[in-house]
Amino acid sequence: MAEDTTLEKTPTWAVATVCLFLILISIFIEHLLHLLSQYFNKKKRKALFQALNKIKSELMVLGFMSLLLVVSEKSIAKICIPISYAQSFLPCTGISSTDFDEEEAKCEQQGKASLLSRKGVRQLQYLIFVLACFHSLSCVLTFSLGMAKMRKWESWEAETRTLQYQFSNDPRRFRLIHETSFGKRHLRFWSEHRLLRFPATFLRQFYNSVSKVDYFTLRHGFLMAHFGEGSNFDFQKFIKRALEEDFGVVVGTSPWTWMFAILFMFFNAHGFHNYLWLPFIPLLKLLIVGTKLQSIITRMCIERDENSHLVIRGNVLVTPSDHFFWFFSPKLLLHLLHLILFQNSFQLAFFTWTWYKFGMRSCFHRNTEDIVIRIRE
């Protein structure tokens, strides 16, 4: 194997030029983040400022991991393991290398194999870099989609200040709960039976997941619980702040997310056929969370129907409670969304990394079906 040229034999102007570009790019990124932090402070967006700091800290962790790999690259390659271990759990079969570096050659002389070659360590550094990029982009995209969704709600919020809305929700009016728009939407033949309610709420998340009537009812329940009738509280501003605070929870990483990354790489071995089931785990969890949220709204309507004796004043008054959630913990859903976000980021990063380093038709995704599944999930 041809020996790579070291810095001893590299022109100093070439080294200085590369370092200059790296420094300029780093300063540019750091300046952008600094301006963004100043903007959040100026607008008093404390939750977004904390989320930005969390993203920066996670990028620092990933950068430190990459630095550790650079420093320990040679030491890792010196670790020798039995050949039988080295030939187990391979992501690709029938592939062998004839090029060995110095450390691998020493293990070969002992009848063993290197734990991780220096080339493999460098490839792993690429994966860490791609993961940092995709995780940051997915966090920004998630928040942007949330804000875009709430822009639709701004027109609904403006409608609550119209005379037509105030007349239709006059607290002096008595109505049957089944005659209200909220009751007509949720009090169906399937709502009283759990086995029928699950498929109905499962399908409902795919179209009009947050309807206008649901927004109005949940808004009314929140205002009545905290402020009382006739309050001018800006509910739209409140949910924007709530989104920012929740965003601070779902960004970043946790021990559970890193455990998923380890398991994902472990089950990437050829014999597990992970492309047939592993990419579907985030999708399955997302569907379960969406179904649960739809079910919670329906159950609140059912509970109100059971306690109102069919007749209500004004709008339907729902009472949010922790007992609607799994294990009485609303934060559990938020942590599941956090894990889903990281899983999607990691899988897209892994696909991009294998595509760049090994080609589109590598052993990681030989068939077109493999590629489609990776991208769609």
Side-chain angles (χ1 to χ4, degrees):
M1 181 178 65
E3 185 179 356
D4 295 333
T5 303
T6 63
L7 292 181
E8 295 174 316
K9 301 178 181 179
T10 303
T12 55
W13 65 263
V15 177
T17 301
V18 171
C19 290
L20 175 63
F21 276 100
L22 290 176
I23 292 172
L24 290 177
I25 293 173
S26 300
I27 292 176
F28 176 74
I29 295 175
E30 194 276 335
H31 185 63
L32 285 181
L33 294 176
H34 179 68
L35 291 177
L36 194 57
S37 298
Q38 287 184 327
Y39 174 78
F40 289 151
N41 273 329
K42 182 179 179 180
K43 296 295 183 179
K44 298 182 179 179
R45 312 290 285 273
K46 183 178 179 181
L48 287 181
F49 179 77
Q50 293 175 347
L52 180 62
N53 285 335
K54 185 179 291 187
I55 292 176
K56 290 194 293 186
S57 66
E58 296 301 332
L59 292 178
M60 184 181 68
V61 170
L62 291 172
F64 188 68
M65 290 171 57
S66 181
L67 179 62
L68 284 178
L69 285 175
V70 172
V71 174
S72 59
E73 174 183 314
K74 190 172 183 179
S75 300
I76 294 175
K78 288 182 177 180
I79 302 175
C80 301
I81 60 175
I83 295 293
S84 58
Y85 290 177
Q87 294 178 348
S88 61
F89 292 89
L90 295 175
C92 305
T93 58
I95 298 179
S96 59
S97 175
T98 56
D99 295 330
F100 300 98
D101 55 36
E102 181 180 352
E103 289 74 20
E104 288 183 282
K106 291 181 179 179
C107 290
E108 184 77 12
Q109 294 173 0
Q110 302 175 22
K112 296 183 178 180
S114 179
L115 175 65
L116 189 63
S117 67
R118 300 184 70 172
K119 184 177 181 180
V121 172
R122 289 191 290 268
Q123 290 173 342
L124 190 57
Q125 292 171 12
Y126 276 97
L127 175 59
I128 293 175
F129 174 78
V130 175
L131 175 59
C133 294
F134 269 90
H135 186 56
S136 301
L137 289 176
S138 65
C139 290
V140 174
L141 180 61
T142 300
F143 182 77
S144 301
L145 292 176
M147 293 297 293
K149 182 71 172 180
M150 286 197 298
R151 288 194 185 97
K152 180 181 179 181
W153 301 347
E154 291 179 356
S155 61
W156 297 350
E157 187 68 22
E159 189 175 332
T160 62
R161 295 186 288 271
T162 62
L163 292 177
Q164 181 181 358
Y165 175 84
Q166 295 174 9
F167 174 77
S168 60
N169 296 275
D170 191 338
R172 294 171 295 182
R173 296 178 58 192
F174 289 88
R175 292 185 294 174
L176 296 174
I177 188 172
H178 288 76
E179 293 180 352
T180 63
S181 300
F182 190 67
K184 291 177 180 179
R185 175 174 169 81
H186 294 283
L187 297 178
R188 303 289 187 88
F189 68 93
W190 46 263
S191 59
E192 296 290 343
H193 303 86
R194 183 175 299 180
L195 294 179
L196 296 178
R197 189 165 65 237
F198 175 79
T201 52
F202 172 81
L203 294 175
R204 179 165 283 180
Q205 65 181 308
F206 296 106
Y207 65 95
N208 199 20
S209 58
V210 181
S211 66
K212 183 190 294 188
V213 63
D214 289 345
Y215 177 86
F216 286 157
T217 304
L218 295 175
R219 175 186 182 277
H220 177 67
F222 175 84
L223 294 181
M224 291 298 294
H226 295 86
F227 303 98
E229 194 71 47
S231 173
N232 294 323
F233 179 76
D234 192 342
F235 185 68
Q236 185 69 205
K237 184 177 181 180
F238 167 76
I239 59 176
K240 284 183 178 179
R241 290 297 177 91
L243 172 65
E244 294 174 4
E245 292 179 1
D246 292 343
F247 178 69
V249 176
V250 300
V251 299
T253 56
S254 66
W256 293 109
T257 57
W258 286 120
M259 183 60 65
F260 164 80
I262 298 300
L263 291 176
F264 183 93
M265 290 185 287
F266 177 81
F267 285 110
N268 198 55
H270 178 72
F272 289 115
H273 304 286
N274 70 320
Y275 59 91
L276 294 176
W277 55 274
L278 194 57
F280 293 97
I281 293 179
L283 176 62
L284 179 61
K285 288 192 294 187
L286 184 62
L287 293 177
I288 292 175
V289 170
T291 303
K292 182 61 176 178
L293 292 175
Q294 291 292 329
S295 177
I296 289 173
I297 300 177
T298 301
R299 287 179 59 195
M300 284 193 292
C301 184
I302 296 172
E303 185 179 87
R304 182 57 181 170
D305 180 43
E306 293 173 347
N307 298 330
S308 63
H309 304 291
L310 302 180
V311 179
I312 63 169
R313 293 179 54 191
N315 198 2
V316 180
L317 180 60
V318 295
T319 307
S321 175
D322 290 351
H323 78 268
F324 292 117
F325 295 86
W326 291 313
F327 305 106
F328 305 96
S329 176
K331 290 186 177 181
L332 179 59
L333 288 180
L334 199 59
H335 289 303
L336 281 176
L337 292 174
H338 176 202
L339 185 57
I340 292 170
L341 178 63
F342 180 82
Q343 287 176 333
N344 289 333
S345 303
F346 187 87
Q347 293 196 31
L348 284 174
F350 190 84
F351 172 79
T352 305
W353 171 69
T354 53
W355 183 3
Y356 176 76
K357 296 301 296 182
F358 308 102
M360 176 62 76
R361 292 295 182 179
S362 66
C363 66
F364 290 98
H365 26 73
R366 293 188 178 93
N367 303 319
T368 303
E369 293 81 1
D370 306 342
I371 301 173
V372 173
I373 291 174
R374 293 285 189 189
I375 296 177
R376 287 179 64 88
E377 298 306 315

